[in-house]
């Protein structure tokens, strides 16, 4: 007679007590412990697969993993006895090492087999099927799988996610017992990244990646992952405390005139250690919410050094970490403010971080602006100098370095534009925001005039930065839906590495980023509270000072925005084969007689924003704070801001990246036009011609013989994931002057053996190894540690 679920669980509990008793023995027999633990695993798995709902109610999975943790702690205690004995107890140590390795390997086999049996037992869970495929597990079974959906399917997905995290922990436990120079975190990181991909709403993977980063003494990476572990739907419960401990260590080191040692060995082109140290110091002080004398100087030093680094070389994942740390820090300050709305320190922390985001966005725009300005003069002198510069040549090396991060900040601005327009906070923030809106309008104008908007492609899959920010709470709102979903706003876009996705040329992806940036800008300027307006007659974005056009910015050339109907109704594939020609701002044919400049501009609006419109009422997703808290601390964010002229902000213009004499700067055009943003009904009543790419146009298969450039890589783990295999060509990057090129090879990403795996909680307290410090490099202005 078949045993009931209660009998199965009682049998498992009896074995559980036996394992606990053996672990408490003074001189335990580890082979006996291994045998009892194997029986306990089998009994727990039988109970889980027999009745999944019953297993959830008894927390059987958690109790089984807790027993693995206790076993690992006992092994660590025993192995610690051999430290400092040299070769005297070498034979005994090797014997204990073998027992420990057997424990790790048996745990890996069990949990991989558990995922395999889940895949064979249940059907209808896409993420589970993906994991089974990536781990090359067989789901053959004599019995038909059960079709599941709804809450049960979600619970099974969570079980699969937690199991993958535990596989990563087992691998990490193993490497913790290995000599520092021989550690290989690849399998552990691969498992954590796989868990994050199938369930990005959980912060567990990021917290575990932060543990690895701290073992490697990479404090920037640790801070990044801790913030990411908090800025999700299900934040890790220990991440906030770990982050505060990390900031406390930074503060203590700075008070001694030192910077925490930051090993950037894994980031081959990481920014200078001084820049990272100052950035970490700045965030530690901003989190505390107490002003300090060197605040502005430290902030300016970080941003000015960031400009120098960007102009000299690519920062790879470091810039992405800087941006997402800034955004996540502001989001977390908003959450803390919700929990304690009366705290003056938290409110000040929020304002500090909001200002840092505005100034960092401003800085990245200042880096991009000169790269666009050089082509404005080239286009206006076409007759004198010959053919215009091709579109791919306009994607300079510096432009490529900042586009992905600007796209991240564009998503941040979509969520926070209204609260910035309300000019909340102190007077200095108001001036910062005013200067930001000016340069933002100029950048939109220059992008629209440099690249032919009607031919900018829409990327129908998720790029690296998109995959990296899935379920990132600061970007999770209705206005950013189009970034992560297809045109129907319901179906999620496939990931760039998904099976069947044919990836576009890197230049095409760069053009797609520009299109998204312009689309966000067009959406933002439609909001009544935003002091920016698009002027169709001149194809410019202008800044409005108290409702008056105060700066028309750059004006696009007529040919750059004028497109004949025949150009968009039938697209010749050969015309797009070279992105240099298809997205060239000057590649468009002369305007037909029946098409006015004003109509072409309106078509540009329609091309970018499509049928998306704004509705009346409170439409802003503040991302950080709820509406009630926002009104309490910042006032009514829907009112039109009244900006009064203020002195230029020294912290922006008195810096190495301020405009120099003789540089091209935005022109100023006086005007008296009042702000007249078309209403929803007025927009729909206008003639709409959508410049869409025909279905038979396959731009992804067409090479760009003139200029190849790499797509950015992020430390989201995708280039380190051993389970990802892609046929996308390997690329070798070359930079010569203003031109960046890439050679394509025939290599493909290889696979990594992920059969070796281990997890132990890292001591976040006063570990001497983690607190190793080096002498600090103080800013050249003379300010020392505070």
């Amino acid at each position: 007679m078949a045993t009931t679920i209660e009998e199965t669980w009682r049998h498992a509990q009896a074995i559980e007590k036996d394992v606990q008793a053996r672990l408490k023995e003074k001189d335990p027999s580890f082979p006996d412990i291994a045998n009892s633990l194997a029986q306990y695993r089998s009994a727990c798995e039988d109970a889980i697969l027999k009745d999944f709902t019953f297993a959830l109610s008894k927390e059987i999975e958690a109790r089984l993993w807790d027993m693995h943790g206790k076993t690992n702690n006992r092994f660590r205690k025993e192995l610690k006895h051999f430290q400092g004995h040299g070769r005297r107890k070498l034979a005994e140590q090797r014997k204990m090492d073998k027992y420990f390795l057997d424990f790790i390997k048996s745990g890996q086999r069990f949990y991989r087999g558990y995922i395999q049996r889940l895949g064979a037992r249940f059907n209808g869970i896409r993420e589970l099927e993906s994991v089974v495929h990536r781990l090359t597990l067989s789901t053959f079974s004599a019995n038909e799988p059960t079709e599941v959906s709804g809450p049960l399917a979600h619970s099974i997905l969570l079980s699969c996610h937690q199991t993958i995290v535990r596989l990563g922990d087992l691998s990490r436990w193993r490497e913790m017992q290995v000599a520092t120079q021989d550690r290989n975190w690849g399998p552990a990181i691969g498992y954590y990244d796989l868990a994050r991909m199938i369930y990005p709403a959980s912060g567990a993977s990021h917290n575990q990646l932060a543990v690895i980063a701290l073992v490697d003494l990479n404090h920037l990476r640790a801070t990044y992952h801790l913030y990411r572990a908090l800025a999700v739907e299900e934040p890790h419960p220990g991440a906030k405390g770990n982050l505060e401990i990390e900031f406390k260590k930074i503060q203590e080191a700075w008070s001694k005139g030192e910077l925490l040692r930051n090993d950037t060995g894994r980031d081959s082109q990481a920014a200078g250690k001084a820049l990272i140290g100052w950035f970490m110091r700045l965030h530690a002080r901003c989190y505390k919410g107490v002003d300090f004398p060197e605040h502005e100087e430290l902030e300016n030093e970080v941003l000015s050094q960031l400009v120098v680094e960007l102009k000299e070389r690519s920062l790879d994942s470091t810039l992405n970490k800087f941006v997402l740390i800034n955004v996540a820090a502001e989001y977390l300050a908003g959450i803390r403010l919700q929990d304690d709305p009366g705290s003056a320190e938290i409110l000040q922390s929020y304002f500090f971080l909001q200002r840092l985001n505005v100034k960092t966005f401003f800085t990245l725009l200042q880096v991009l602006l000169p790269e666009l300005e050089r082509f404005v003069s080239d286009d206006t002198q076409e007759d004198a100098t010959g053919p215009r510069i091709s579109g791919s040549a306009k994607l300079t090396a510096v432009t490529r370095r900042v586009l992905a991060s600007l796209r991240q900040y564009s998503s941040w601005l979509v969520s926070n534009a209204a609260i910035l327009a309300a000019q909340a906070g102190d007077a200095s923030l108001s001036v910062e925001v005013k200067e930001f809106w000016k340069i933002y309008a100029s950048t939109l104008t220059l992008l629209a005039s440099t690249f032919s908007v009607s031919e900018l492609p829409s990327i129908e899959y998720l790029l690296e930065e998109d995959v990296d920010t899935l379920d990132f709470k600061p970007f999770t709102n209705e206005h950013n839906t189009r970034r992560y979903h297809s045109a129907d706003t319901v179906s999620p876009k496939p990931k760039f590495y998904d099976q069947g996705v044919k990836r576009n040329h890197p230049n095409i992806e760069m053009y797609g980023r520009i299109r998204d940036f312009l689309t966000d800008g067009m959406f933002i300027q439609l909001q009544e509270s935003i002091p920016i307006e698009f002027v169709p007659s001149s194809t410019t974005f202008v800044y409005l000072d108290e409702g008056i056009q105060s700066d028309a910015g750059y004006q696009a050339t007529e040919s750059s925005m004028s497109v004949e109907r025949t150009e968009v109704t039938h697209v010749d594939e050969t015309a797009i084969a070279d992105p240099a020609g298809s997205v060239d701002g000057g590649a468009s044919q002369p305007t037909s007689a029946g098409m006015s400049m004003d109509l072409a501009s309106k078509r540009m609006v329609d091309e970018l924003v499509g049928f998306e419109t704004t509705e009346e009422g409170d439409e802003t997703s503040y991302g950080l704070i709820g509406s009630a808290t926002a009104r309490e601390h910042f006032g009514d964010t829907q009112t039109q801001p009244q900006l009064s002229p203020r002195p230029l902000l020294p912290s922006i213009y008195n810096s190495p990246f301020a405009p120099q004499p003789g540089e091209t700067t935005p022109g100023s055009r006086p005007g008296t036009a009042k702000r007249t943003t078309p209403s929803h009904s007025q927009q729909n009543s206008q003639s709409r011609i959508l410049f869409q790419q025909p279905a038979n146009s396959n731009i992804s298969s067409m090479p760009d013989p003139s200029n190849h450039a790499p797509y950015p890589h992020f430390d989201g783990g995708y280039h380190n994931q051993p389970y990802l295999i892609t046929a996308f060509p390997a690329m070798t990057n070359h930079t010569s002057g203003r031109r960046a090129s890439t050679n394509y090879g025939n290599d493909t990403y290889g696979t990594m053996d992920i059969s070796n795996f281990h997890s132990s909680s890292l001591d976040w307290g006063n570990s001497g190894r983690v607190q190793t410090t080096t002498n600090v490099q103080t800013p050249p202005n003379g300010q020392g540690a505070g």
Side-chain angles (χ1 to χ4, degrees):
M1 184 177 68
T3 59
T4 64
I5 182 63
E6 288 82 4
E7 293 174 341
T8 302
W9 176 231
R10 282 196 294 269
H11 175 62
Q13 287 178 301
I15 302 175
E16 179 184 43
K17 293 179 181 179
D18 179 64
V19 178
Q20 289 175 337
R22 292 181 183 276
L23 288 173
K24 291 179 181 179
E25 293 177 359
K26 183 176 180 180
D27 188 15
S29 170
F30 285 99
D32 291 343
I33 291 175
N35 183 58
S36 297
L37 187 58
Q39 295 179 34
Y40 184 48
R41 290 170 182 149
S42 179
C44 288
E45 185 182 56
D46 288 344
I48 293 170
L49 296 180
K50 184 171 290 186
D51 191 334
F52 202 89
T53 304
F54 176 85
L56 287 175
S57 65
K58 298 297 182 181
E59 298 182 336
I60 295 179
E61 286 186 66
R63 294 178 67 166
L64 174 60
W65 179 245
D66 181 63
M67 190 59 64
H68 283 81
K70 291 178 179 178
T71 305
N72 177 65
N73 290 338
R74 187 58 198 261
F75 270 113
R76 291 178 63 189
K77 181 179 179 181
E78 295 295 325
L79 290 170
K80 191 176 181 179
H81 292 161
F82 296 103
Q83 296 178 4
H85 289 282
R87 303 177 61 87
R88 287 180 296 174
K89 297 185 177 181
L90 186 59
E92 295 180 30
Q93 181 178 356
R94 288 179 176 175
K95 185 178 180 180
M96 188 60 62
D97 286 340
K98 181 181 182 302
Y99 288 150
F100 177 71
L101 187 60
D102 290 343
F103 159 68
I104 295 295
K105 288 185 176 180
S106 62
Q108 293 166 356
R109 286 192 297 268
F110 168 75
Y111 279 110
R112 286 171 64 91
Y114 175 70
I115 293 176
Q116 182 180 21
R117 284 179 279 278
L118 281 180
R121 176 74 173 80
F122 303 105
N123 197 14
I125 307 173
R126 181 174 54 87
E127 294 84 356
L128 176 59
E129 295 171 358
S130 175
V131 170
V132 169
H133 173 73
R134 292 186 185 280
L135 297 181
T136 62
L137 303 174
S138 173
T139 58
F140 176 78
S141 175
N143 301 320
E144 284 292 324
T146 303
E147 196 75 22
V148 293
S149 60
L152 179 59
H154 182 71
S155 298
I156 296 171
L157 171 61
L158 291 182
S159 176
C160 177
H161 168 264
Q162 293 165 358
T163 301
I164 298 171
V165 173
R166 288 161 185 162
L167 281 167
D169 287 344
L170 287 167
S171 180
R172 180 167 55 84
W173 286 351
R174 176 178 180 175
E175 297 305 316
M176 291 293 292
Q177 300 300 327
V178 178
T180 304
Q181 62 272 19
D182 298 327
R183 284 174 179 162
N184 173 24
W185 300 115
I189 292 175
Y191 277 127
Y192 292 146
D193 286 336
L194 179 59
R196 181 162 56 95
M197 286 195 301
I198 68 167
Y199 192 61
S202 171
S205 296
H206 278 295
N207 187 77
Q208 305 305 81
L209 288 168
V211 173
I212 292 178
L214 271 184
V215 174
D216 284 345
L217 299 179
N218 192 318
H219 296 278
L220 174 67
R221 189 152 46 94
T223 302
Y224 166 77
H225 286 300
L226 288 173
Y227 266 125
R228 293 298 306 272
L230 292 166
V232 289
E233 187 68 33
E234 300 175 12
H236 190 276
K240 184 173 180 289
N242 295 338
L243 180 66
E244 291 175 349
I245 292 174
E246 178 72 358
F247 282 156
K248 183 178 179 181
K249 292 178 182 178
I250 294 172
Q251 293 280 66
E252 292 174 351
W254 190 273
S255 65
K256 300 175 183 178
E258 300 172 337
L259 288 176
L260 279 178
R261 176 184 169 188
N262 194 75
D263 186 358
T264 56
R266 291 188 68 249
D267 302 321
S268 58
Q269 295 183 356
K273 292 183 178 179
L275 171 60
I276 293 177
W278 294 335
F279 178 81
M280 298 294 297
R281 158 71 170 171
L282 179 61
H283 267 278
R285 295 305 300 262
C286 287
Y287 182 90
K288 191 174 182 181
V290 178
D291 203 3
F292 52 104
E294 67 273 18
H295 184 182
E296 186 171 358
E297 181 188 13
L298 182 60
E299 194 174 58
N300 290 339
E301 188 66 31
V302 168
L303 296 177
S304 61
Q305 288 298 320
L306 180 61
V307 171
V308 172
E309 294 281 349
L310 284 172
K311 292 194 179 229
E312 290 182 354
R313 57 193 174 91
S314 173
L315 297 185
D316 289 339
S317 64
T318 303
L319 179 60
N320 184 61
K321 288 187 179 70
F322 277 17
V323 170
L324 293 184
I325 285 175
N326 287 349
V327 173
E330 183 183 348
Y331 165 82
L332 181 60
I335 296 298
R336 294 166 60 205
L337 191 60
Q338 281 184 313
D339 297 336
D340 187 6
S343 173
E345 288 80 11
I346 297 177
L347 181 62
Q348 185 74 287
S349 174
Y350 179 81
F351 284 138
F352 285 164
L353 294 165
Q354 185 182 59
R355 187 178 81 170
L356 179 59
N357 274 308
V358 171
K359 292 182 71 171
T360 306
F361 198 173
F362 181 97
T363 299
L364 295 179
L365 292 176
Q366 280 218 334
V367 171
L368 176 65
L369 217 55
E371 303 301 312
L372 302 175
E373 287 172 349
R374 68 176 70 174
F375 301 113
V376 173
S377 58
D378 292 337
D379 286 346
T380 57
Q381 299 175 7
E382 176 185 9
D383 295 337
T385 60
R388 301 185 183 192
I389 297 176
S390 62
S392 59
K394 294 180 179 181
L395 292 172
T396 66
V398 175
T399 299
R400 297 172 191 271
R401 293 168 191 168
V402 300
L403 270 181
S405 293
L406 283 173
R407 188 160 171 256
Q408 304 279 44
Y409 258 131
S410 183
S411 293
W412 168 82
L413 185 61
V414 167
S415 300
N416 295 274
I419 199 169
L420 290 182
Q423 303 298 312
D426 53 35
S428 62
L429 181 61
S430 300
V431 179
E432 301 274 6
V433 172
K434 180 177 180 179
E435 297 303 324
F436 165 75
W437 287 125
K438 290 181 180 179
I439 194 172
Y440 182 64
S442 296
T443 303
L444 291 173
T445 298
L446 274 173
L447 284 172
S449 62
T450 304
F451 301 94
S452 180
V453 174
S454 63
E455 295 180 2
L456 288 173
S458 178
I459 306 301
E460 297 305 323
Y461 53 82
L462 297 176
L463 298 171
E464 286 96 333
E465 64 266 28
D466 301 323
V467 176
D468 191 38
T469 53
L470 283 171
D471 282 294
F472 185 49
K473 286 292 288 183
F475 294 168
T476 305
N477 56 72
E478 57 178 323
H479 305 312
N480 280 323
T481 300
R482 62 175 174 270
R483 175 174 174 178
Y484 301 98
H485 291 75
S486 301
D488 58 7
T489 69
V490 176
S491 306
K493 289 182 180 179
K495 301 176 179 68
F496 67 92
Y497 53 77
D498 281 348
Q499 189 174 8
V501 173
K502 188 173 184 180
R503 189 157 188 180
N504 291 318
H505 188 279
N507 283 349
I508 299 297
E509 293 183 348
M510 288 294 174
Y511 296 138
R513 292 182 173 101
I514 295 173
R515 175 194 173 94
D516 289 346
F517 190 87
L518 286 170
T519 302
D520 289 342
M522 192 64 69
F523 167 78
I524 289 170
Q525 67 89 31
L526 290 175
Q527 301 179 46
E528 288 292 338
S529 62
I530 305 303
I532 290 180
E533 179 180 315
F534 176 67
V535 182
S537 60
S538 58
T539 320
T540 57
F541 293 81
V542 297
Y543 170 74
L544 305 175
D545 192 353
E546 297 183 355
I548 306 299
Q549 293 183 8
S550 62
D551 187 355
Y554 292 92
Q555 297 189 27
T557 56
E558 182 174 2
S559 60
S560 69
M561 302 309 302
S562 303
V563 185
E564 285 194 21
R565 184 185 301 272
T566 56
E567 286 186 84
V568 297
T569 56
H570 174 72
V571 180
D572 186 0
E573 289 187 359
T574 60
I576 308 181
D578 180 5
S582 65
V583 196
D584 180 11
S588 302
Q589 299 177 11
T591 307
S592 63
M595 178 181 291
S596 66
M597 185 63 191
D598 185 65
L599 180 57
S601 302
K602 292 174 182 175
R603 291 177 179 177
M604 186 195 78
V605 177
D606 292 338
E607 164 64 16
L608 289 173
V609 302
F611 291 95
E612 297 177 9
T613 57
T614 58
E615 298 179 359
E616 297 297 329
D618 186 4
E619 61 179 341
T620 303
S621 174
Y622 295 100
L624 316 182
I625 8 180
S627 299
T629 308
R631 284 192 294 270
E632 177 182 350
H633 291 287
F634 310 110
D636 187 0
T637 61
Q638 296 300 317
T639 58
Q640 177 68 25
Q642 301 296 323
L643 301 180
S644 58
R646 296 177 182 271
L648 293 179
L649 184 64
S651 62
I652 293 179
Y653 287 95
N654 187 19
S655 62
F657 47 91
Q660 300 297 318
E663 290 185 348
T664 305
T665 57
S668 177
R669 186 188 67 176
T672 58
K674 297 290 184 179
R675 176 179 179 83
T676 54
T677 303
S679 66
H680 172 46
S681 59
Q682 289 172 333
Q683 292 178 54
N684 286 342
S685 65
Q686 297 172 350
S687 300
R688 308 177 66 89
I689 299 180
L690 300 180
F691 299 128
Q692 295 180 343
Q693 185 177 306
N696 61 355
S697 175
N698 185 4
I699 58 180
S700 63
S701 61
M702 304 181 185
D704 177 10
S706 62
N707 188 19
H708 301 290
Y711 55 89
H713 295 274
F714 293 92
D715 193 29
Y718 308 112
H719 58 287
N720 290 326
Q721 293 169 11
Y723 45 80
L724 293 183
I725 304 176
T726 174
F728 195 71
M731 297 180 289
T732 305
N733 306 331
H734 302 278
T735 303
S736 177
R738 296 181 177 178
R739 298 181 60 85
S741 61
T742 302
N743 294 332
Y744 283 69
N746 295 322
D747 300 332
T748 57
Y749 293 105
T751 60
M752 180 181 293
D753 181 13
I754 53 178
S755 59
N756 302 321
F757 312 92
H758 67 265
S759 148
S760 154
S761 53
L762 179 69
D763 181 11
W764 291 79
N766 297 323
S767 170
R769 206 163 107 44
V770 175
Q771 293 187 41
T772 305
T773 58
T774 57
N775 292 334
V776 67
Q777 302 181 44
T778 57
N781 299 26
Q783 283 287 353

